[in-house]
Amino acid sequence: MDAADTPKQPTQPRRRYAKGEATRQEILDRTIEVLAKRGAQRTSLRAIASEIGITHAALTYYFGSLDQLLIEVYRHWDTREDPPPSLTRAPVEGMLDSARGNRDVPGLVQLYTSLCAAALDDNRGVVQDYIAQRFARIREEVAHSVRRCQTEGSIRSDIDPHAAAALIIAASDGLQIQWLLDGDAPQTEALALLQKVLS
Amino acid sequence: MDAADTPKQPTQPRRRYAKGEATRQEILDRTIEVLAKRGAQRTSLRAIASEIGITHAALTYYFGSLDQLLIEVYRHWDTREDPPPSLTRAPVEGMLDSARGNRDVPGLVQLYTSLCAAALDDNRGVVQDYIAQRFARIREEVAHSVRRCQTEGSIRSDIDPHAAAALIIAASDGLQIQWLLDGDAPQTEALALLQKVLS
């Protein structure tokens, strides 16, 4: 079919799609604000809808369920950097930079920790799948980065890259929580220590 | 006052206290079962009361609030070993033993992770205080254990014990989550790696 015959058609669905995307985006942005105020654990799709001023039906239309909305909010923030820091820098340094950035968004660290807790609940399979796959993917990325550092000589060669990756990610996740709860917790020192003993 | 004058009195309050304690204990045990089934995040004092077959008023009388109940359930389990493993064994080994034990109680790991997420929510001060104080206490215990290992020569001496303690605890917390989500995650290998690079 010749595009000249139907000049309007190719743009209309796209415009509608673009409008849907913009609405979706706006909901995600406003949900971040709501979660920062009320936490991710004791809320509901209905409460978020009411707070951001849309109907429960509209929120359900766009995201399906509270867990889906929470995942999308986190994913939106998590993938804002391209390529991910774990691929471009030395792995512990990348984690240190992320940790520094996360000081400004404690609500999102809380959302992440909350999603990790939810992932351990067998009744919340959609969160479980998302978090399990995210860990598997990041372990791969960090292991790749560890291997690169081993070739360059900045990480000792007698270390299994996969075990190192799991360790670096766990340390980074756990230290972030300790630090947000107690500004005096030695987060930077602990990550620097990890870098030192791995090198 | 002579005890012989009032033979019943010293025992009655104790018996009442003992009965209260027994009830409290039974509530804690049954709550663990309920949390294992429905998770710690999307529940309420009312739902737990209904599930364990007591009134909401009685549950409130014994524990005050859902957060208090969740803290007491976790504390009850957390303090079951005396002295804590972090004081009696090499620190990473102690964490490895805890991690092995925790495989059998995923519900309690979920409760712990959930409490950590709740502690990052400023609206839940009672959880925040409990978890922040717990981290501070365990960091002290593990740092003490690191110092002992440094004296004995099993941990390298050019390491700050407080930074090492924060790192060991964070690694242990984070690896536990990765492992529960994916039995193939290299939890044991990562903790063994930490022990190797610290020694």
Side-chain angles (χ1 to χ4, degrees):
Chain A
M1 194 200 287
D2 189 345
D5 294 338
T6 53
K8 280 279 185 197
Q9 284 208 320
T11 63
Q12 272 208 338
R14 182 168 303 173
R15 201 183 305 147
R16 206 173 305 137
Y17 173 77
K19 185 160 178 289
E21 259 311 288
T23 307
R24 228 174 151 272
Q25 197 48 60
E26 202 190 323
I27 294 173
L28 290 177
D29 290 340
R30 308 243 352 235
T31 303
I32 293 179
E33 294 166 26
V34 174
L35 294 179
K37 247 193 308 179
R38 52 189 298 152
Q41 285 189 14
R42 294 198 179 158
T43 193
S44 66
L45 215 48
R46 201 171 291 278
I48 292 173
S50 143
E51 205 139 347
I52 67 182
I54 64 170
T55 64
H56 179 236
L59 195 54
T60 307
Y61 169 77
Y62 280 105
F63 293 96
S65 70
L66 177 59
D67 278 342
Q68 279 289 3
L69 175 60
L70 295 178
I71 288 171
E72 288 307 318
V73 164
Y74 185 71
R75 195 203 308 265
H76 170 58
W77 173 74
D78 191 34
T79 52
R80 75 205 179 287
E81 287 183 79
D82 185 34
S86 49
L87 282 179
T88 51
R89 270 164 286 176
V92 185
E93 261 169 49
M95 292 291 166
L96 200 48
D97 282 358
S98 293
R100 283 197 194 104
N102 289 350
R103 291 181 192 184
D104 301 328
V105 283
L108 282 160
V109 178
Q110 203 241 335
L111 173 57
Y112 172 69
T113 311
S114 208
L115 287 173
C116 286
L120 301 179
D121 180 347
D122 286 335
N123 304 316
R124 295 171 73 179
V126 57
V127 182
Q128 196 162 73
D129 290 348
Y130 170 68
I131 293 289
Q133 283 162 19
R134 184 180 179 278
F135 271 127
R137 175 174 53 79
I138 297 190
R139 271 198 303 267
E140 280 304 320
E141 288 174 9
V142 174
H144 175 84
S145 171
V146 167
R147 256 182 246 110
R148 201 192 58 227
C149 290
Q150 287 179 314
T151 311
E152 292 168 6
S154 56
I155 288 188
R156 46 195 274 189
S157 58
D158 62 342
I159 279 174
D160 173 55
H162 271 98
L167 177 62
I168 292 167
I169 295 162
S172 169
D173 286 358
L175 287 167
Q176 194 156 263
I177 296 170
Q178 290 184 48
W179 189 86
L180 279 178
L181 283 173
D182 175 1
D184 290 333
Q187 185 195 27
T188 313
E189 294 83 347
L191 283 173
L193 167 62
L194 183 58
Q195 183 148 26
K196 170 178 159 168
V197 294
L198 289 178
S199 67
Chain B
M1 196 202 283
D2 190 344
D5 294 335
T6 54
K8 279 280 186 199
Q9 284 208 319
T11 63
Q12 273 210 336
R14 183 167 303 172
R15 200 182 308 147
R16 206 173 305 138
Y17 172 78
K19 183 159 180 289
E21 259 311 288
T23 306
R24 228 174 149 273
Q25 196 49 59
E26 202 191 324
I27 293 173
L28 290 177
D29 291 340
R30 308 245 349 238
T31 303
I32 292 179
E33 294 166 27
V34 174
L35 294 180
K37 245 192 310 178
R38 53 190 297 153
Q41 284 189 17
R42 294 197 180 157
T43 191
S44 66
L45 214 49
R46 200 170 292 277
I48 293 173
S50 143
E51 204 138 347
I52 67 183
I54 64 169
T55 64
H56 180 236
L59 195 54
T60 307
Y61 168 80
Y62 280 106
F63 293 96
S65 69
L66 177 59
D67 278 342
Q68 279 290 2
L69 175 61
L70 296 179
I71 288 171
E72 289 307 318
V73 165
Y74 185 72
R75 195 201 310 265
H76 169 59
W77 173 74
D78 191 34
T79 53
R80 74 206 180 287
E81 287 184 80
D82 186 35
S86 49
L87 282 178
T88 51
R89 268 164 286 174
V92 183
E93 262 170 47
M95 293 289 165
L96 200 47
D97 282 357
S98 293
R100 284 198 194 101
N102 289 350
R103 291 181 191 185
D104 302 327
V105 281
L108 282 160
V109 178
Q110 203 242 336
L111 173 58
Y112 171 69
T113 311
S114 207
L115 286 173
C116 286
L120 301 178
D121 180 346
D122 286 335
N123 305 316
R124 296 173 71 179
V126 58
V127 183
Q128 197 162 72
D129 289 349
Y130 170 68
I131 293 289
Q133 283 162 20
R134 184 179 180 280
F135 271 127
R137 175 173 55 76
I138 297 187
R139 272 199 303 266
E140 280 306 319
E141 288 174 11
V142 175
H144 175 85
S145 171
V146 168
R147 257 182 243 109
R148 200 193 59 227
C149 290
Q150 287 179 315
T151 310
E152 292 168 6
S154 57
I155 287 188
R156 48 195 272 189
S157 58
D158 62 340
I159 278 174
D160 174 56
H162 271 98
L167 177 62
I168 292 166
I169 296 162
S172 168
D173 286 357
L175 286 167
Q176 193 156 263
I177 296 171
Q178 290 183 48
W179 189 86
L180 279 177
L181 283 173
D182 175 2
D184 290 332
Q187 185 195 26
T188 313
E189 294 84 347
L191 282 174
L193 167 62
L194 183 59
Q195 182 148 25
K196 169 178 160 169
V197 294
L198 289 178
S199 67

